[in-house]
Amino acid sequence: MTTVLGAPLSPFVRKVRVALAEKNLPYDLKPVFPGSDEPEFRALSPLGKIPAFKDDRVGLADSSVICAYLEKRYPSPALLPADPAAYATVLWFEEYADSKLFHVCTEGVFFERIVKAMRSAPADEAKVAAALKELPTVCGYLEQQLAAGRFGGSTFTLADIAIATQFVNLQHGGEQIDGNAFPKLAAFVTRTLARPSFADCVAQERQVLSGKH
Ligand SMILES: N[C@@H](CCC(=O)N[C@@H](CS)C(=O)NCC(=O)O)C(=O)O
């Protein structure tokens, strides 16, 4: 059985779960928190980061590595284009999302307000404010790239998944994209999160956040 090891609120775990759902692949989610010493998890993820992954052929860590593997093993529907330039463009937006967007949306807002609350620690609102100060620059860049057709087109890709997943964490942290300033980006996030692959994950996460699961 294909298994994803991780916590559902992680943007990187969600990225892998959405890719699996888009490819119609069943899997189990084994709950594991970042830094866990659980032996199977540590063997799969020597850095102690989530997600980890295993199936009948391989054990892996890192959402980008896992998604690259899924793409090779299950090429249809494709989440990465065949054309070299389009392929590299998707990888660039995946990298931008995993680094810069993660820093602003997830580390800066979600971690401070949600993860710390789960640990009964107070949010550092100065850190949240610093992250939110960066948000317009990030959204401005994405708005412009979206208008140029560099992601968010008619063919759904890993770039779309990687970008949208970080904005879920921004929303969990109580913040939104300014739809007046960045209408294309706000619409992109709304329509991407309406896909069943995202909507199913986010519905489960809201249960976790409300303490019902
Ligand atoms: N590049 C990794 C990043 C994964 C990552 O940073 N996961 C976080 C949770 S959202 C984590 O496990 N952090 C624990 C740590 O950094 O020790 C990926 O794409 O999977």
Side-chain angles (χ1 to χ4, degrees):
M1 183 64 183
T2 297
T3 305
V4 176
L5 295 86
L9 293 170
S10 158
F12 301 107
V13 171
R14 189 183 308 110
K15 185 175 147 196
V16 169
R17 297 182 76 197
V18 169
L20 284 160
E22 290 286 342
K23 289 178 179 290
N24 286 310
L25 298 169
Y27 65 94
D28 280 337
L29 179 66
K30 178 175 172 179
V32 174
F33 288 103
S36 165
D37 284 333
E38 204 263 316
E40 182 191 36
F41 170 65
R42 282 319 272 226
L44 292 167
S45 179
L47 297 177
K49 296 188 184 198
I50 56 171
F53 172 97
K54 65 172 183 175
D55 69 3
D56 59 334
R57 288 198 194 165
V58 73
L60 300 168
D62 192 283
S63 65
S64 301
V65 173
I66 297 163
C67 290
Y69 167 72
L70 292 174
E71 190 70 10
K72 279 276 183 199
R73 183 160 181 194
Y74 307 101
S76 181
L79 294 172
L80 284 154
D83 172 76
Y87 173 81
T89 301
V90 169
L91 293 186
W92 159 247
F93 285 106
E94 183 186 20
E95 168 57 24
Y96 183 82
D98 289 1
S99 54
K100 187 67 180 178
L101 267 186
F102 170 71
H103 170 69
V104 172
C105 300
T106 301
E107 274 186 328
V109 177
F110 174 80
F111 182 81
E112 285 303 322
R113 288 190 176 155
I114 305 299
V115 177
K116 281 195 172 175
M118 287 172 163
R119 296 175 182 168
S120 303
D124 182 342
E125 281 295 332
K127 280 194 186 159
V128 176
L132 292 177
K133 212 171 153 196
E134 287 191 69
L135 190 59
T137 307
V138 166
C139 289
Y141 170 67
L142 292 175
E143 181 81 4
Q144 176 234 326
Q145 295 295 303
L146 195 49
R150 302 245 298 154
F151 69 93
S154 55
T155 304
F156 191 66
T157 73
L158 187 56
D160 303 327
I161 299 175
I163 291 168
T165 192
Q166 300 295 338
F167 282 112
V168 173
N169 287 79
L170 184 75
Q171 290 183 5
H172 286 337
E175 301 293 337
Q176 294 284 349
I177 296 165
D178 178 347
N180 291 322
F182 310 109
K184 289 187 173 57
L185 183 61
F188 160 79
V189 170
T190 300
R191 75 173 174 269
T192 304
L193 300 192
R195 295 175 77 90
S197 56
F198 263 106
D200 291 351
C201 284
V202 174
Q204 285 174 22
E205 292 169 36
R206 294 221 165 101
Q207 291 209 318
V208 173
L209 286 169
S210 68
K212 287 192 191 127
H213 208 295

